[in-house]
């Protein structure tokens, strides 16, 4: 209903403006026409303006819709629409001049041919403008609908990805606490508090596309505190955080996922344990985040091979959905001692 109302509003407004301009031009009477001739000229304007509207609706629009030209490549449509425009213009010319002959205001000879040619060219130009507006509106509407559909699908996909992360996240935290309950109840209480903070933040950010880097980092610190209890002296944690990083937003639980991956495929596989270092720096309005862990990649895979989880693939997909090509993700060896997971994220405006 809204589209129909808009269509008729534009139809009446467009052809109404054309009628108004012609009517005012005749009323100014630049050629000093007598009153009878001016009256006939006004009647002619009042007749051929509705004819133009009628043909645009009953011929141009109907053919475009019935033949599905709105769904065809525009390069293939142009010759067809020009042909229909030419036919519609000829119909309006024929009807208009038939009316002029009835009211006795029809030229003869060369003057008649000139009038017919001028009228035909004028109507073609008007219908080309009409077709341009008509196709442009439908193109913008289709494009907008596609963007909304894509956004909805992306949102659904992001929610699915986050739902994959939450159980993984919780079970790893619980495993870190399990051995403490009987042996070291004081540390267990601290761990419960830290887990509570993690779960609270997880619930708060569950429906968010992005969270501040500072909030994500606090969650990661609680998680690493739990892991430090489990690994004891085997886990060394280091932070090198650029204060400007707090002004950036990142996908929720992204850093958490990368840290879990670093522990699972790096530190936990080393007898002597190792280092987890979280580093952030801002360069040229880009947040560069590096998760560095002891270990080595073998042929692009972690040192210990096994079933790969959803973590890294999940992170890549979420970055692609939220930032497109503006964000980047890579993993590489550094100095034959560390594996570095590097993420670059632009500042969202």
């Amino acid at each position: 209903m809204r589209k129909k109302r808009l269509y008729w509003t534009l139809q009446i407004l467009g052809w109404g403006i054309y009628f108004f301009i012609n009517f005012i031009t005749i009323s100014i009477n630049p050629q000093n026409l007598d009153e009878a001739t001016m009256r006939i000229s006004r009647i002619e304007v009042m007749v051929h303006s509705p004819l133009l509207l009628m043909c645009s609706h009953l011929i141009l629009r109907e053919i475009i819709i019935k033949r599905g030209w709105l769904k065809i490549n525009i390069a293939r449509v142009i010759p067809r629409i020009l042909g229909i425009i030419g036919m519609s213009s000829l119909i309006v010319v024929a009807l208009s001049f038939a009316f002029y002959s009835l009211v006795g205001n029809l030229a003869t000879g060369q003057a008649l041919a000139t009038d017919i040619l001028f009228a035909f060219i004028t109507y073609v130009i008007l219908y080309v403008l009409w077709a341009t507006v008509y196709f442009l509106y439908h193109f913008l509407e289709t494009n907008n609908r596609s963007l909304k559909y894509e956004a909805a699908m992306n949102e659904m996909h992001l929610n699915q990805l986050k739902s994959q992360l939450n159980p993984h996240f919780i079970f790893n935290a619980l495993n870190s606490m399990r051995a403490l309950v009987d042996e070291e109840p004081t540390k267990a209480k601290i761990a419960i508090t830290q887990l509570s903070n993690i779960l609270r933040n997880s619930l708060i950010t569950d429906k968010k596309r992005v969270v501040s880097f500072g909030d994500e980092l606090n969650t990661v610190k609680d998680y690493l505190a739990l892991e430090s209890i489990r690994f004891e002296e085997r886990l060394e944690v280091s932070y090198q955080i650029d204060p400007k990083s707090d002004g950036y937003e990142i996908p929720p639980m992204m850093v958490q996922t990368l840290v879990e991956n670093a522990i699972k495929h790096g530190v936990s596989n080393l007898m002597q344990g190792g280092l987890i270092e979280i580093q952030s720096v801002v360069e040229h309005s880009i947040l560069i985040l590096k998760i560095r862990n002891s270990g080595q990649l073998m042929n692009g895979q972690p040192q210990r091979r096994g079933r790969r989880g959803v973590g890294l693939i999940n992170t890549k997909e979420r970055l692609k959905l939220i930032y497109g090509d503006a964000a980047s993700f890579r993993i590489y060896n550094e100095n034959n001692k560390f594996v570095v997971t590097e993420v670059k994220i632009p500042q969202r405006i």
Side-chain angles (χ1 to χ4, degrees), residues 3-264:
K3 285 176 59 178
K4 198 171 185 179
R5 190 185 304 118
L6 178 62
Y7 167 78
W8 280 111
T9 300
L10 292 177
Q11 277 280 73
I12 294 171
L13 181 64
W15 295 120
I17 290 173
Y18 173 73
F19 165 78
F20 180 77
I21 292 173
N22 277 275
F23 196 84
I24 293 299
T25 302
I26 292 171
S27 298
I28 293 174
N29 193 17
Q31 298 176 340
N32 297 317
L33 301 175
D34 59 68
E35 189 62 32
T37 304
M38 285 184 61
R39 184 167 58 253
I40 292 174
S41 297
R42 291 193 186 105
I43 293 173
E44 291 171 355
V45 171
M46 294 175 68
V47 168
H48 79 257
S49 294
L51 278 176
L52 287 165
L53 186 153
M54 181 183 69
C55 283
S56 67
H57 178 71
L58 297 179
I59 299 178
L60 278 173
R61 179 176 175 273
E62 285 299 312
I63 291 176
I64 289 171
I65 292 174
K66 288 183 177 179
R67 297 191 179 183
W69 287 355
L70 293 171
K71 300 176 183 178
I72 301 176
N73 184 283
I74 191 65
R76 294 171 55 194
V77 169
I78 289 176
R80 305 179 191 185
I81 195 67
L82 288 177
I84 299 302
I85 284 174
M87 182 188 74
S88 300
S89 300
L90 285 175
I91 291 173
V92 176
V93 168
L95 293 175
S96 297
F97 278 83
F99 173 78
Y100 300 161
S101 65
L102 293 176
V103 298
N105 193 37
L106 192 65
T108 57
Q110 185 65 35
L112 176 60
T114 302
D115 288 346
I116 291 175
L117 179 61
F118 179 78
F120 176 76
I121 293 173
T122 301
Y123 299 155
V124 166
I125 293 173
L126 289 172
Y127 278 142
V128 166
L129 291 174
W130 182 93
T132 301
V133 173
Y134 189 79
F135 274 88
L136 182 62
Y137 169 79
H138 282 279
F139 170 78
L140 293 175
E141 184 193 41
T142 302
N143 190 55
N144 185 51
R145 189 162 54 243
S146 298
L147 290 174
K148 287 181 179 179
Y149 175 78
E150 184 179 348
M153 293 300 294
N154 286 350
E155 195 68 33
M156 184 177 69
H157 193 185
L158 282 170
N159 289 334
Q160 290 174 342
L161 293 173
K162 285 189 286 185
S163 69
Q164 290 176 339
L165 289 177
N166 285 333
H168 180 67
F169 167 77
I170 294 170
F171 295 146
N172 275 274
L174 288 173
N175 286 334
S176 299
M177 297 168 50
R178 184 174 55 187
L180 295 176
V181 175
D182 294 326
E183 297 177 4
E184 299 185 70
T186 301
K187 287 186 177 181
K189 290 179 181 179
I190 296 173
I192 289 171
T193 300
Q194 291 166 338
L195 178 59
S196 175
N197 292 336
I198 294 170
L199 294 178
R200 185 185 303 111
N201 289 332
S202 177
L203 291 173
I204 291 173
T205 61
D206 186 55
K207 297 188 182 299
K208 294 183 178 180
R209 288 171 59 90
V210 291
V211 296
S212 72
F213 175 78
D215 290 342
E216 175 76 359
L217 184 62
N218 288 335
T219 300
V220 172
K221 286 180 178 178
D222 283 330
Y223 172 78
L224 285 173
L226 288 173
E227 292 294 77
S228 294
I229 295 172
R230 180 161 70 98
F231 283 95
E232 297 180 340
E233 71 279 357
R234 291 181 61 220
L235 178 61
E236 179 185 355
V237 179
S238 174
Y239 299 94
Q240 297 181 27
I241 306 300
D242 187 334
K244 292 183 288 186
S245 303
D246 287 341
Y248 286 76
E249 295 180 324
I250 64 176
M253 300 177 66
M254 184 191 77
V255 181
Q256 157 73 27
T257 303
L258 298 179
V259 169
E260 281 190 46
N261 185 75
I263 291 177
K264 178 180 178 181

